[in-house]
Amino acid sequence: MDKLDEETMARVMKKCYFMRPDLVMPGIMEKNNVLTNVKTMKVRDDDVYLVTYPKAGTNWACEILDAMLNIDNLEVLKTRSLFEKIPILEFGPSIHPDLVEDGIEHLPSNVKAVIDPMPSPRRIPTHLLPEYMPEEWHQKKPKTIVCDRNPKDCLISLLGWHRSTRFLSPLEWNELFEAYMQGLTVYGPYPDFTKAWAKYENEPWLMWIRYEDLRLNPKESFRKVAEFLGKDLTAEQIDQVIHVTSFDYMKKAMETVKDRDIFLNKKGVWQRKGVVGNWKEAFTISQNETFNKHYKEGMKGYEHLMYDC
């Protein structure tokens, strides 16, 4: 495995920082905000938390939950701003010097500006490790859904994010692959994230689902999610949720969303392909073998949560 050269390393880390020595975070979130506003946030009993590794279907899963929680008024989904649609728990304020340099306007803490004022029930997405979750989340144990995805597809989708957003540096595939193998992609290695959340996998208040099941068997998977949320949806209502969260529907709806382009560069798009197995178009044979070895070693002891990839 090649070490990143100095120039590439500088681009990988531009707009990022270390939350701790082995954990890289995007500059769109700020360490002190997590340790204060996030940690002390008031958690409501009917909150629903959506936990995902970056690019594991966060936006889509948010829309699914939003549709289920508002099944009697699906039109409200069309009125949401970008920040209301995807209120990532830990985002803001955007004070990282590299972001300021690139013209990303100052954004407040999502907790204070978006999440606290949200009407109940709130669905709150996050990529945080459990140790950084709100103190009251640990105490109240609100409904929490962990949406898992093939780590190779996550990495390919992250490549698209590096190329589309203004809050991450543009990277080529080989550069991102080497950065991941060296633990330098945002939110850290996939196995570390999965193992940290696996601590709660058998808790009654937590549901562990797979992106692939939602994609390939939506009727059954959506029904299980609805049941977990305490929503007794009819077959017709499940079909409605499937319709308003389809790729084409969401892509068209996003065109009118307020603030939709605030984080995108000129070539950026919110929805890419969302397909299962897209990693096969990018991984070389050597990269696949290297990744599989790294993945197997990283998931040792947690083989039941591994993807056969």
Side-chain angles (χ1 to χ4, degrees):
M1 182 170 57
D2 297 329
K3 291 290 185 180
L4 298 175
D5 60 55
E6 188 174 331
E7 180 181 346
T8 304
M9 179 69 81
R11 281 192 291 113
V12 167
M13 291 306 300
K14 185 176 175 64
K15 305 180 184 179
C16 296
Y17 67 96
F18 282 98
M19 184 77 174
R20 60 175 189 239
D22 57 348
L23 185 59
V24 176
M25 290 296 195
I28 197 67
M29 60 168 285
E30 198 268 327
K31 182 176 181 178
N32 188 58
N33 176 59
V34 174
L35 299 179
T36 55
N37 292 326
V38 172
K39 273 291 186 181
T40 61
M41 188 185 85
K42 294 298 181 182
V43 172
R44 302 174 194 169
D45 292 335
D46 59 355
D47 281 345
V48 178
Y49 288 79
L50 172 67
V51 176
T52 57
Y53 187 69
K55 308 312 298 173
T58 313
N59 298 359
W60 183 47
C62 270
E63 287 290 287
I64 293 171
L65 296 181
D66 210 6
M68 289 181 178
L69 294 172
N70 294 278
I71 192 62
D72 295 322
N73 183 24
L74 289 175
E75 287 298 309
V76 75
L77 274 65
K78 298 179 180 179
T79 69
R80 305 271 199 242
S81 70
L82 178 67
F83 297 99
E84 292 169 327
K85 279 182 170 292
I86 320 167
I88 302 294
L89 175 63
E90 62 269 23
F91 275 17
S94 55
I95 59 176
H96 191 290
D98 289 339
L99 298 185
V100 175
E101 176 186 317
D102 282 359
I104 294 182
E105 63 183 88
H106 179 84
L107 300 171
S109 163
N110 263 4
V111 169
K112 296 299 183 182
V114 184
I115 297 174
D116 278 351
M118 284 175 66
S120 294
R122 304 180 299 185
R123 48 100 184 95
I124 304 171
T126 183
H127 307 308
L128 287 175
L129 294 170
E131 63 191 275
Y132 297 115
M133 291 292 284
E135 293 293 345
E136 286 195 0
W137 176 88
H138 289 277
Q139 298 163 6
K140 293 188 174 183
K141 301 177 174 59
K143 290 184 185 296
T144 300
I145 297 175
V146 176
C147 185
D148 206 0
R149 188 184 186 185
N150 186 316
K152 293 178 183 176
D153 279 337
C154 287
L155 192 54
I156 294 301
S157 190
L158 181 60
L159 176 66
W161 214 222
H162 271 274
R163 293 173 172 176
S164 290
T165 67
R166 294 194 292 144
F167 61 81
L168 290 175
S169 295
L171 297 174
E172 296 302 319
W173 164 241
N174 289 338
E175 295 171 338
L176 182 64
F177 180 83
E178 296 301 338
Y180 175 84
M181 296 306 298
Q182 294 172 37
L184 295 174
T185 47
V186 291
Y187 290 93
Y190 172 95
D192 292 354
F193 183 91
T194 304
K195 290 187 294 186
W197 279 100
K199 174 182 177 182
Y200 306 98
E201 65 173 315
N202 295 318
E203 294 288 349
W205 46 268
L206 184 138
M207 182 181 193
W208 197 287
I209 61 175
R210 283 191 163 185
Y211 176 92
E212 291 77 9
D213 291 335
L214 295 173
R215 278 289 181 207
L216 302 176
N217 188 13
K219 288 192 177 184
E220 179 63 16
S221 298
F222 282 32
R223 182 187 63 78
K224 290 179 179 178
V225 173
E227 287 181 356
F228 176 75
L229 296 176
K231 304 289 289 186
D232 185 19
L233 302 187
T234 65
E236 181 180 359
Q237 288 174 322
I238 291 292
D239 286 339
Q240 287 181 300
V241 175
I242 291 173
H243 172 66
V244 300
T245 60
S246 67
F247 182 88
D248 290 339
Y249 187 98
M250 287 178 58
K251 185 175 182 179
K252 184 177 181 180
M254 184 60 81
E255 294 175 359
T256 60
V257 170
K258 182 180 178 182
D259 299 323
R260 68 175 293 274
D261 293 333
I262 192 169
F263 295 130
L264 298 180
N265 58 37
K266 293 181 180 180
K267 297 181 180 180
V269 293
W270 277 105
Q271 279 83 26
R272 289 181 64 252
K273 296 180 179 180
V275 298
V276 174
N278 197 43
W279 64 269
K280 297 175 184 177
E281 297 181 10
F283 277 69
T284 65
I285 294 175
S286 175
Q287 287 173 338
N288 192 47
E289 291 174 348
T290 300
F291 189 98
N292 286 347
K293 181 180 178 181
H294 179 273
Y295 180 44
K296 184 176 181 179
E297 292 175 350
M299 292 293 291
K300 189 174 182 179
Y302 294 82
E303 287 81 4
H304 64 293
L305 291 175
M306 287 183 65
Y307 276 83
D308 184 14
C309 61

